[in-house]
Amino acid sequence: MSDNEREARRARLAALREGGVDPFPARVGERSSIAEVRQQHDSSSEEALEDAKPRVAIAGRVKALRSFGKLLFMTLVDDGVSLQVSARKQEVSPEVFAFAKQLDVGDFARVEGVVWRTKKGELTVDIRRVEILAKSLRPLPEKWHGLSDVETRYRQRYLDLIANDEAREIAVFRSRVLTALRSFLDGRGFLEVETPVLQPLYGGAAARPFTTYHNTLDQQLYLRISDELYLKRLVIGGLDRVYEIGHNFRNEGISKKHNPEFTMLECYEAYADYRDMMVLTEAMVTEVAERVCGTTKVDFQGEKLDLAGPWPRVTIRDAIAEGTGVDILAAPDLPALQEAVRAQGLHPGEAPTWAVLVDELFSEHVEPRLIQPTFIMDHPVELSPLAKRSAEDPRLVERFEPFVAGMEIGNAFSELNDPDDQRERFTAMETAREQGDDEAHPMDEDFLLALEHGMPPTGGLGIGVDRLVMILADAPNLREVILFPALRRDGGTG
RNA sequence: GGGCGCGUAGCUCAGUUGGCAGAGCAGCGGACUCUUAAUCCGCCGGUCGUAGGUUCGAUCCCUACCGCGCUCACCA
């Protein structure tokens, strides 16, 4: 594809080299950040600058160029902060002026000059010396309309970051959320750990894994679908409070709430139970929101949310009863539950088991309504193979999921530490697997071995970090808070 | 995976009831010492997502494919 702009840039690159200028020098001379220069001079008056003629050196990317015959202005951006630069023919040698003039939008340059204010009052550095730091060979997205093609924004996120302030703000915001999460947990004595991404056996969630292969070990490996079983091994080993923030990989569909690799925060606290983890969840979300948003009252896609705890705690039984009129515990097997659903004028669908039907009732009739933060608790044991059985009702487990804005943002339980019960759960999962549930949890003898050595009563919590960021950033889509969201391999021109 | 929609210049978008494809920005040349979407004059720039088909003629109609979006399914 012929592109006369690229040719022009190539020509200027060649001209630089012919003139003995390295267009990609390894080192940058002394400089201040543009933010520093702004901080120092933003409030200086025209007259004060005229008297002091402060000399500064800055470096950045040329974002815009406005050229006149014997005068040119450019906007330089350095770490998201911009500053105008001028070159005036009367102030510099013809060579320096010509050098400034041949810079392209997108180039990186270092400029030494004198700080002044234009007639319009704009803080400006008037060039005395200028050097190129890196040549840009392709045009940047258009300056006024910017870059809006979502596919390009995701595939070439660097262009999005350059062209769209909001993309940059979200990236920074996300980093601040992660910092706040770590700070919260560190402050409570949690130890950040790292566990394997490549696992000989996956587990800790109901999901299909990605499969890979290690040549030297001659062994199939899985990309983890959760950190859970390894973090529990650490608790067994006496690391009483641990957390990990890392990617999980689930071989599933992509949607505005799902990315095949996503960031999960998991934390485990010995001697705690799921109610303690509820308190922890409320405190964590509250503190993070206050730190990154300055408030717990946030707008999310037109909904006003208040993230401050305490959050309502509703059993899944009560939630479904309220949403559908069906009492799941009064209909203890599949036929009874189907009948109860029909009695409410609803379609029971084709759920293969009682527990799956419960899950479907919840997903369809309750979940979308959970806008304000809510804990849904006490799930059926069949849906929760790693959670401790409820003392009051052996059909249920001590588990909760926090919901915000109709989205599940986490999952937590009193961890199952009875190795015999755990073995039975795995066996039940094996049966489900044999009956075609390819997301059922596999038997994990190695984990059982660990459990048999004794695990303290422990509370565990997982938080979907991407979704949390999405809510705090008021982003409409998970892809907006993931810098490089999963996309199909580019088929061509796009 | 199903349904619907989209894909035209580097970017943002028009457009053709089927008849040589347009604008703004960017780029190139020229004018210009206060612009910040600079302005003015001139110019360059396209396999109209890809491959077939229908047709005298396809960017437009048809089919398949590729990619993206929305949505349903799936998905803690």
Side-chain angles (χ1 to χ4, degrees):
Chain A
M1 190 179 311
S2 89
D3 182 340
N4 52 20
E5 174 153 8
R6 272 160 66 193
E7 285 165 19
R9 286 168 181 254
R10 285 272 175 199
R12 284 190 280 276
L13 175 72
L16 286 171
R17 288 192 163 123
E18 277 166 32
V21 174
D22 180 358
F24 298 100
R27 264 162 288 283
V28 180
E30 204 177 310
R31 70 184 184 101
S32 306
S33 73
I34 284 179
E36 287 167 347
V37 171
R38 278 209 169 277
Q39 190 181 2
Q40 195 166 3
H41 297 296
D42 258 342
S43 54
S44 305
S45 70
E46 186 180 339
E47 296 73 24
L49 291 170
E50 181 63 30
D51 290 343
K53 294 196 190 318
R55 181 109 178 184
V56 298
I58 55 173
R61 180 168 217 145
V62 179
K63 183 187 182 183
L65 275 170
R66 298 172 292 280
S67 172
F68 300 79
K70 294 171 180 139
L71 165 71
L72 75 82
F73 293 103
M74 63 179 92
T75 308
L76 225 54
V77 191
D78 163 16
D79 202 18
V81 187
S82 52
L83 184 61
Q84 179 165 272
V85 168
S86 61
R88 290 186 287 182
K89 200 157 190 179
Q90 71 187 33
E91 298 292 341
V92 292
S93 68
E95 291 73 25
V96 170
F97 189 77
F99 192 93
K101 210 157 185 177
Q102 56 78 53
L103 288 171
D104 285 305
V105 171
D107 289 354
F108 288 87
R110 176 177 176 277
V111 162
E112 280 180 45
V114 175
V115 183
W116 67 302
R117 276 191 194 280
T118 63
K119 286 176 187 167
K120 298 280 171 62
E122 178 86 15
L123 194 72
T124 304
V125 174
D126 196 44
I127 285 185
R128 293 297 177 275
R129 287 189 54 190
V130 56
E131 52 210 301
I132 190 161
L133 299 178
K135 188 70 192 166
S136 164
L137 296 173
R138 296 204 185 233
L140 261 30
E142 195 245 357
K143 62 187 171 192
W144 184 239
H145 298 94
L147 178 68
S148 59
D149 181 84
V150 294
E151 189 174 351
T152 307
R153 288 185 49 232
Y154 298 153
R155 286 195 195 283
Q156 295 177 272
R157 183 68 91 178
Y158 48 93
L159 296 179
D160 191 31
L161 291 167
I162 292 167
N164 297 317
D165 287 343
E166 190 174 331
R168 183 189 169 88
E169 284 162 12
I170 286 178
V172 172
F173 183 88
R174 181 181 176 120
S175 173
R176 293 178 54 220
V177 170
L178 287 164
T179 299
L181 287 169
R182 287 196 165 94
S183 165
F184 174 85
L185 290 166
D186 292 345
R188 288 170 182 246
F190 284 83
L191 188 71
E192 182 169 13
V193 297
E194 294 171 278
T195 64
V197 171
L198 295 175
Q199 304 179 346
L201 194 60
Y202 60 93
R208 280 148 58 199
F210 289 93
T211 305
T212 187
Y213 184 78
H214 191 285
N215 291 340
T216 306
L217 294 179
D218 186 23
Q219 175 186 324
Q220 179 168 280
L221 293 170
Y222 303 96
L223 276 64
R224 67 180 175 202
I225 60 173
S226 107
D227 311 343
E228 174 154 353
L229 301 182
Y230 283 91
L231 291 172
K232 285 183 187 171
R233 285 173 170 95
L234 297 180
V235 175
I236 291 167
L239 299 178
D240 281 358
R241 283 188 292 271
V242 292
Y243 74 97
E244 178 163 17
I245 296 176
H247 276 200
N248 288 175
F249 306 84
R250 299 186 184 174
N251 209 334
E252 291 157 357
I254 297 172
S255 79
K256 61 171 63 174
K257 297 178 189 176
H258 298 85
N259 197 61
E261 66 178 297
F262 61 99
T263 302
M264 178 75 93
L265 160 65
E266 284 195 33
C267 59
Y268 290 82
E269 180 174 0
Y271 314 114
D273 67 8
Y274 76 140
R275 290 178 183 275
D276 298 316
M277 302 319 274
M278 289 185 200
V279 174
L280 186 75
T281 303
E282 289 162 350
M284 178 158 59
V285 172
T286 298
E287 182 173 312
V288 170
E290 280 171 351
R291 263 183 78 170
V292 302
C293 302
T295 174
T296 58
K297 293 180 166 47
V298 301
D299 286 337
F300 179 72
Q301 304 298 296
E303 301 277 1
K304 296 217 176 296
L305 305 179
D306 188 351
L307 303 176
W311 301 350
R313 302 179 179 189
V314 185
T315 65
I316 195 167
R317 174 197 193 182
D318 289 346
I320 290 174
E322 192 184 324
T324 66
V326 175
D327 182 350
I328 57 169
L329 295 186
D333 56 31
L334 182 61
L337 187 54
Q338 285 170 327
E339 184 49 42
V341 170
R342 280 194 212 95
Q344 294 296 325
L346 303 170
H347 291 286
E350 293 176 10
T353 66
W354 179 85
V356 170
L357 182 51
V358 168
D359 198 33
E360 287 177 0
L361 288 171
F362 176 79
S363 300
E364 190 169 341
H365 298 286
V366 180
E367 183 171 351
R369 299 194 206 167
L370 299 175
I371 304 303
Q372 296 301 324
T374 307
F375 291 123
I376 296 295
M377 57 194 285
D378 297 352
H379 299 62
V381 64
E382 293 91 332
L383 297 174
S384 316
L386 301 166
K388 180 172 285 196
R389 217 177 276 269
S390 163
E392 292 86 55
D393 189 334
R395 293 173 293 177
L396 305 180
V397 291
E398 294 199 357
R399 174 185 177 186
F400 73 86
E401 295 172 306
F403 283 84
V404 180
M407 278 192 297
E408 177 200 337
I409 64 161
N411 188 21
F413 14 93
S414 300
E415 300 297 338
L416 177 54
N417 62 345
D418 175 342
D420 294 333
D421 193 358
Q422 183 67 78
R423 179 175 295 278
E424 286 172 28
R425 307 284 191 90
F426 279 156
T427 302
M429 289 289 116
E430 288 283 279
T431 306
R433 169 172 297 274
E434 281 157 18
Q435 288 167 355
D437 181 357
D438 56 3
E439 292 175 353
H441 209 292
M443 174 65 70
D444 191 336
E445 289 289 351
D446 190 69
F447 177 66
L448 288 170
L449 174 65
L451 269 191
E452 285 171 9
H453 286 84
M455 182 170 96
T458 299
L461 168 68
I463 293 287
V465 172
D466 312 274
R467 289 180 179 177
L468 179 61
V469 173
M470 190 177 155
I471 288 162
L472 294 172
D474 191 16
N477 196 307
L478 208 61
R479 286 177 291 243
E480 294 297 333
V481 302
I482 295 175
L483 283 169
F484 296 99
L487 293 178
R488 211 177 290 267
R489 181 199 185 106
D490 191 357
T493 47

